Amino acid sequence: MSTETGAQDWRWLSDALGDDAVALDEHSLAQHGKDEGFARQGRKFLPEVVAFPQTTDEVVTVVREAARRGLRVTAWGAGTSMEGNGLPTRGGIVLDMSRMNRIVSVHPEDLQVVVEPGILRPDLNEQVARHGLFFPPDPGAPATIGGMVSNNASGTKSAKYGVTRDYVLGLEVVLADGIVIRTGSRAIKSASGYNLTGLFVGAEGTLGVITRITMRLAPLPAVVHGALGRFSSLDHAAKAVAGMIGAGVTPAMSELLDEQVIRVLNAEQETGWPERATLLLEFDGSSTAAVEDELELARAVIADVDPGAEFVTSSPDEHRRVTALRHGLGPTIFRSSSKPHIKVLDSTVPISRYVDLVRATRTILGAHGLEGFQLGHAGDGNLHVLILADAKDPEEWARVELAEDDIVEKALEFEGTTTGEHGVGLGRKRFMEAEHGRATDVMRAIKLALDPEQLLNPDKIVDIEL
Ligand SMILES: Cc1cc2nc3c(=O)[nH]c(=O)nc-3n(C[C@H](O)[C@H](O)[C@H](O)COP(=O)(O)OP(=O)(O)OC[C@H]3O[C@@H](n4cnc5c(N)ncnc54)[C@H](O)[C@@H]3O)c2cc1C
């Protein structure tokens, strides 16, 4: 194996980790130079080398030696980010954590598990199901737990079950100077000092490399029912979600799809659904009676909000199929488009303003003459807007970015956030000052305190002169 790329000799890395834990071939570099979001915008940043550590000690060795040599280190989970969160903008080493994928211990009596960061969410859930437990946040994509913690990911279940941050009790982290710290504990509450665990959750690997995660889990629900709500308009669908939550019904899933999304599903997946704004709903609980009560209350709220709405329950098989269709929607819409690129927005607002955001988005897309799809994890106020365009057409892409600016401005006006779950990465940095004002200076100070040379995943979240 050649141990050189560019001016670097990587023998020290293969000496430390072993030959088969270091990749320099074009394919590996390309694979670690694009994430799911930026790939669909035709953007990439290649690393110089990819390393696959298997232990915390190996991570320490790589980080220490990289620091000594002034090399950048960027952690990598499964590469399913949407905003260039883990792209090696300044080359250096990508630390692919996929071989650190063990479950360290399970504590069923405490509803807890300790894992290495490279374990995939589906694999974790398969393993803990035998204890009647699961990790609810569900991005749909096969993400690693380390990547989910670092992006504070959520997805379809968060209105009822919360986001990744709510499940993290403690972390082991390798800092930029190679020191290993442990944050938190297995106690479910603690008033012991600054919330360092919370600091690393959502830090996108800019403050340290996470090598171990202590997490809470939830009991698997005994009963799960699916349903579909079909509405007179998208506004009615958005209002119905707020109505349900206001009435004390929190569906485990409430996915909003606009009429255009339904058209694409009918064309691509032969769903044969009425072309109406739709809510994909899931209700779960510990008994059939409790779940059926929720379903009936939801039916009543929906009829009240929109007398023209249709509410149908799904069989378990249908519900499984509908859920799979939802998880595959991004790729399905992308495939169906004649445009080569896609921009995915991720604004989130308080549920009472959700309908306002949906309306404003429609007006803004129209004003900029863009083709956009609205879908979202409606229960937690998260609206994804998928805008199809050609990033190589400067005039068209400028309109996409102007529309994004306008939609984010509205989300902030409605007391929301630019990103509910995808994180900041490179793509959303330009909104950070508008959203956080002087607090961005605090973020810069934290980064510089922990990583003064900006060795770990540089250029993300906030700009700092290098
Ligand atoms: C089709 C599709 C649907 C999606 N839907 C959702 C959704 O509904 N909700 C949602 O939240 N997200 C969604 N995402 C985005 C993505 O799946 C999540 O952000 C996920 O958390 C990324 O995990 P990953 O393992 O791929 O991490 P990566 O993309 O590899 O990395 C994510 C970030 O974490 C850092 N990182 C990774 N591992 C570590 C570590 N051990 N220590 C420190 N830093 C680390 C990286 O540097 C990077 O900054 C979707 C993506 C796709 C492709």
Side-chain angles (χ1 to χ4, degrees):
M1 178 189 88
S2 162
T3 55
E4 294 184 26
T5 48
Q8 288 286 338
D9 181 345
W10 299 104
R11 226 162 326 184
W12 66 268
L13 197 51
S14 32
D15 284 350
L17 268 56
D19 275 350
D20 73 339
V22 177
L24 292 161
D25 60 286
E26 225 172 88
H27 175 70
S28 302
L29 300 183
Q31 227 182 4
H32 293 83
K34 56 181 170 30
D35 64 10
E36 289 281 347
F38 270 36
R40 292 189 187 134
Q41 293 172 29
R43 298 170 69 186
K44 59 183 178 190
F45 297 91
L46 295 185
E48 288 159 74
V49 65
V50 184
F52 297 85
Q54 298 197 52
T55 64
T56 301
D57 284 349
E58 288 185 352
V59 174
V60 169
T61 303
V62 175
V63 169
R64 278 220 169 109
E65 193 54 28
R68 206 177 66 76
R69 293 166 184 257
L71 295 166
R72 319 267 173 220
V73 177
T74 301
W76 186 272
T80 67
S81 282
M82 300 301 294
E83 293 296 340
N85 313 48
L87 295 187
T89 40
R90 295 178 192 245
I93 304 167
V94 158
L95 214 47
D96 183 318
M97 305 301 284
S98 59
R99 294 189 192 170
M100 289 184 71
N101 61 357
R102 288 180 319 130
I103 292 189
V104 178
S105 55
V106 190
H107 305 272
E109 65 289 2
D110 295 318
L111 284 65
Q112 289 175 12
V113 67
V114 181
V115 297
E116 292 182 337
I119 189 166
L120 296 172
R121 177 191 178 274
D123 293 347
L124 170 64
N125 273 343
E126 196 183 314
Q127 304 261 355
V128 296
R130 72 180 70 135
H131 302 288
L133 298 170
F134 79 125
F135 171 56
D138 184 3
T144 62
I145 297 299
M148 289 187 68
V149 169
S150 299
N151 281 354
N152 190 23
S154 43
T156 49
K157 304 251 183 209
S158 59
K160 176 160 185 176
Y161 284 101
V163 303
T164 297
R165 187 186 298 283
D166 301 316
Y167 290 84
V168 184
L169 293 169
L171 296 170
E172 177 184 83
V173 185
V174 178
L175 299 178
D177 55 5
I179 302 266
V180 181
I181 61 163
R182 287 176 190 84
T183 72
S185 72
R186 286 214 303 112
I188 61 158
K189 67 180 198 176
S190 169
S192 181
Y194 295 132
N195 182 1
L196 295 184
T197 306
L199 183 61
F200 289 99
V201 178
E204 302 182 16
T206 60
L207 302 179
V209 179
I210 297 167
T211 46
R212 197 165 276 204
I213 303 155
T214 301
M215 309 163 67
R216 293 170 50 221
L217 298 169
L220 273 167
V223 181
V224 178
H225 283 330
L228 292 171
R230 298 191 170 107
F231 294 83
S232 309
S233 73
L234 194 61
D235 294 3
H236 282 98
K239 271 193 204 151
V241 176
M244 278 188 273
I245 290 172
V249 180
T250 305
M253 181 168 98
S254 47
E255 295 295 308
L256 178 86
L257 310 180
D258 73 7
E259 298 86 341
Q260 286 206 80
V261 174
I262 304 297
R263 265 196 288 284
V264 168
L265 274 177
N266 285 343
E268 297 283 317
Q269 306 284 353
E270 298 176 3
T271 30
W273 287 348
E275 284 181 10
R276 304 179 74 183
T278 298
L279 282 177
L280 313 183
L281 297 160
E282 180 176 291
F283 300 89
D284 67 10
S286 53
S287 73
T288 304
V291 175
E292 283 180 352
D293 278 355
E294 279 212 310
L295 264 169
E296 286 318 307
L297 194 47
R299 190 194 298 276
V301 170
I302 286 174
D304 191 39
V305 169
D306 180 9
E310 185 191 357
F311 182 83
V312 287
T313 52
S314 316
S315 70
D317 277 352
E318 274 164 2
H319 184 55
R320 262 190 296 279
R321 175 160 177 261
V322 165
T323 306
L325 288 175
R326 168 62 190 91
H327 284 322
L329 254 183
T332 304
I333 290 172
F334 190 51
R335 256 199 327 272
S336 74
S337 169
S338 57
K339 299 281 185 183
H341 301 112
I342 190 165
K343 170 83 111 177
V344 180
L345 276 56
D346 182 35
S347 296
T348 305
V349 292
I351 193 69
S352 61
R353 306 307 303 271
Y354 197 61
V355 67
D356 299 329
L357 184 64
V358 164
R359 274 192 200 129
T361 298
R362 190 172 45 236
T363 307
I364 290 165
L365 290 173
H368 291 285
L370 291 166
E371 186 186 3
F373 295 78
Q374 294 199 55
L375 55 147
H377 313 306
D380 57 25
N382 191 183
L383 184 67
H384 293 314
V385 187
L386 276 54
I387 307 178
L388 297 158
D390 182 353
K392 295 212 166 76
D393 174 343
E395 185 278 326
E396 189 172 56
W397 201 249
R399 278 189 283 127
V400 171
E401 296 202 325
L402 284 174
E404 185 181 21
D405 289 352
D406 292 350
I407 292 168
V408 168
E409 192 182 314
K410 281 290 168 196
L412 298 183
E413 185 187 317
F414 300 150
E415 300 180 82
T417 176
T418 168
T419 170
E421 54 181 28
H422 292 166
V424 181
L426 294 164
R428 309 198 157 276
K429 271 194 304 187
R430 70 182 205 275
F431 303 116
M432 292 301 272
E433 304 282 347
E435 180 168 349
H436 300 288
R438 293 295 301 273
T440 51
D441 292 336
V442 178
M443 294 186 197
R444 285 190 189 92
I446 291 170
K447 169 71 176 171
L448 289 174
L450 290 179
D451 181 15
E453 306 298 327
Q454 300 186 60
L455 297 172
L456 299 179
N457 194 14
D459 301 317
K460 311 299 166 5
I461 302 186
V462 283
D463 277 323
I464 308 177
E465 237 168 71
L466 259 173

